[in-house]
Amino acid sequence: MEMNTGYKIEDFYYPILRIMQDRRSLQRPSVIVQQVISRMHVADSVAPEWWNHGLRLQVKNKIRKAFAHLCIAELAQRTTNVLPQWLLTPKGEGFKDDSSALIQQVRLALRSHKQELGSFGVSPEGHLIPNKPRVVRRLNPRLPNIHNLNTLFYGAIATGKTREAIKLAVELAGKHLSKSEREQKQLHDFLGGQIEFLVLHKGIGYEQMVLHFSPHTQSWEDGFLLRLARRAEKEPNKSFVLLLEGIERTSIENLFGEMLLLFDPDKRIGQANPLKIALPSGEYVGLPANLYLVATIEDIRQAWQQMALYARYFELVELTPRYDLSSVAYSDFLWALNQELLRKKGEYFLIGHTFFLQSNQNFNFLRVLNRQIIPLLTAYFEGNQEAVACLLQQAFQQAPSTHGRFEVTRHLQGSVQVSRIEHP
């Protein structure tokens, strides 16, 4: 495991099998996963801040992959409904050997499997799903002491990208503080000082970001990046962050110009290959190693053609819809809806979980559907209301929490609306 608990995927085979043998009934994957973590005391083997900042998700993913391996070995299986449950096959129920024998048996099954397992991923419920080759790395930038200098969050709409970017920026800016002091800090405590926060649009370019000549003062004036870089050079013991939202709305080459060459960690001032370049003003500048760039892609559909370019200068972190959070209402419906979208439109059209957070003030499921989800789906399907209605109806029928409780209707003008079914 990356940070490192010392556990491999195969270490989870035997605990999963034993727990399922003890229970002898259908179980939700999340229940089994939590029991494995508890029985093996996984969280006790790492520092709490590491566990809470990424390792927990890594461990859960390994457990789900371990279950997928048991399925290939015909020791376990899952139900086929929209909210799968895990169960053992007769072969799994009758397994009596030790952990070593189990690992050997699964290894043999994997070798004989027709497909190369590495070309598959695991869904939130433990399904094997094909993975598309990516040009990006998916590392967690929030683990202590391994922060990348340039981090870009991307993913489906409403998956919490801005929130995660702000969290990372505040964490970076507060690195010099004690843990108790850092926990008290919020974004506004650093704005205008260690953090500059920009929402990008087509009106922001090189002149605003790097440098421009002012006809009023007849002099060169720094943009956001240069101003922050100069502050960072003056205070090398602190971290400074340029936080950018919606980087896909502009060209990063036009935005940063020649400064892109300085983004590489080894080219920062004081690093292995420090570099300074000439600006239009004639000044030679570099970027200090305590200057971080944190950005988000708000609409992945507009950005996918530039992902290779982003990967050249940023470490990319994908955020996907979360179905395992207790704060997400109707998570089974969201899962079913996204499965239909994945099948009909593709991965760039998924809908994130933040629409359905119950912690949102005055959360109302019908209002979210009718005023946010349906207009979004209408845009996805280019005004095809029939396709929107069909998609919603299928998701409602598949999800236990919504089956028989909501209906999709069409107004005379053709627009779609969801209402609750009133039972006598």
Side-chain angles (χ1 to χ4, degrees), residues 23 36 78 86 94 99-100 114 119 126 186 202 243 261 266 269 271 327 334 347 359 370 410 422:
R23 299 187 70 88
V36 171
R78 62 183 64 80
W86 290 358
S99 176
S100 298
K114 293 190 221 176
S119 64
Q186 296 183 19
K202 292 181 179 179
L243 181 58
L261 184 61
D266 68 314
I269 297 172
Q271 301 306 303
S327 58
L334 178 61
E347 63 179 315
S359 55
N370 288 317
R410 298 276 300 276
E422 300 295 337

Side-chain angles (χ1 to χ4, degrees), residues 114-348:
K114 293 190 221 176
Q115 300 284 353
E116 173 66 29
L117 190 65
S119 64
F120 286 83
V122 180
S123 76
E125 301 299 344
H127 292 288
L128 284 178
I129 52 176
N131 277 334
K132 203 169 74 169
R134 296 186 183 277
V135 296
V136 299
R137 292 182 297 158
R138 294 182 58 189
L139 300 179
N140 190 324
R142 292 171 277 118
L143 293 174
N145 302 321
I146 61 168
H147 298 291
N148 191 278
L149 287 175
N150 313 313
T151 303
L152 177 59
F153 291 93
Y154 75 102
I157 187 172
T159 48
K161 297 178 290 294
T162 299
R163 182 191 62 186
E164 290 298 319
I166 290 174
K167 186 188 299 183
L168 174 58
V170 171
E171 182 178 331
L172 289 168
K175 281 171 63 176
H176 66 289
L177 302 173
S178 66
K179 182 179 179 181
S180 59
E181 290 176 319
R182 191 164 57 247
E183 289 174 348
Q184 301 296 321
K185 295 293 184 180
Q186 296 183 19
L187 177 63
H188 62 78
D189 296 314
F190 297 106
L191 285 177
Q194 288 176 253
I195 297 177
E196 291 287 356
F197 186 15
L198 288 176
V199 178
L200 295 177
H201 52 78
K202 292 181 179 179
I204 296 180
Y206 180 89
E207 292 77 12
Q208 292 76 28
M209 183 59 66
V210 181
L211 188 73
H212 69 278
F213 185 80
S214 172
H216 301 292
T217 63
Q218 289 295 300
S219 62
W220 292 94
E221 295 183 358
D222 293 343
F224 289 100
L225 177 62
L226 274 189
R227 287 200 299 269
L228 198 60
R230 297 193 198 279
R231 283 183 226 155
E233 284 189 90
K234 292 177 181 178
E235 297 186 74
N237 295 326
K238 292 184 178 182
S239 297
F240 291 77
V241 185
L242 182 60
L243 181 58
L244 305 173
E245 183 183 68
I247 200 169
E248 79 283 1
R249 301 184 190 121
T250 184
S251 162
I252 63 171
E253 293 166 313
N254 293 337
L255 188 64
F256 295 108
E258 65 279 346
M259 299 297 288
L260 278 174
L261 184 61
L262 305 179
F263 278 24
D264 292 343
D266 68 314
K267 295 184 177 67
R268 300 296 186 96
I269 297 172
Q271 301 306 303
N273 301 298
L275 190 63
K276 289 190 175 184
I277 57 174
L279 295 177
S281 62
E283 179 187 7
Y284 279 81
V285 299
L287 290 181
N290 60 329
L291 175 61
Y292 294 82
L293 282 86
V294 178
T296 68
I297 292 174
E298 293 305 302
D299 190 344
I300 187 65
R301 294 171 300 159
Q302 295 182 22
W304 68 269
Q305 290 181 321
Q306 296 195 74
M307 291 302 279
L309 180 61
Y310 294 142
R312 167 64 183 85
Y313 298 107
F314 291 87
E315 180 170 285
L316 305 189
V317 180
E318 182 180 18
L319 297 181
T320 56
R322 297 285 303 275
Y323 312 104
D324 59 329
L325 300 176
S326 59
S327 58
V328 176
Y330 298 95
S331 59
D332 56 342
F333 164 76
L334 178 61
W335 190 89
L337 183 65
N338 276 337
Q339 293 307 299
E340 292 297 319
L341 283 171
L342 187 63
R343 184 168 62 88
K344 294 179 179 179
K345 298 295 292 184
E347 63 179 315
Y348 296 141

Side-chain angles (χ1 to χ4, degrees), residues 62-78:
K62 284 181 182 286
I63 295 173
R64 293 180 188 278
K65 288 180 181 179
F67 177 79
H69 291 191
L70 293 176
C71 290
I72 291 175
E74 299 181 349
L75 294 164
Q77 60 185 356
R78 62 183 64 80

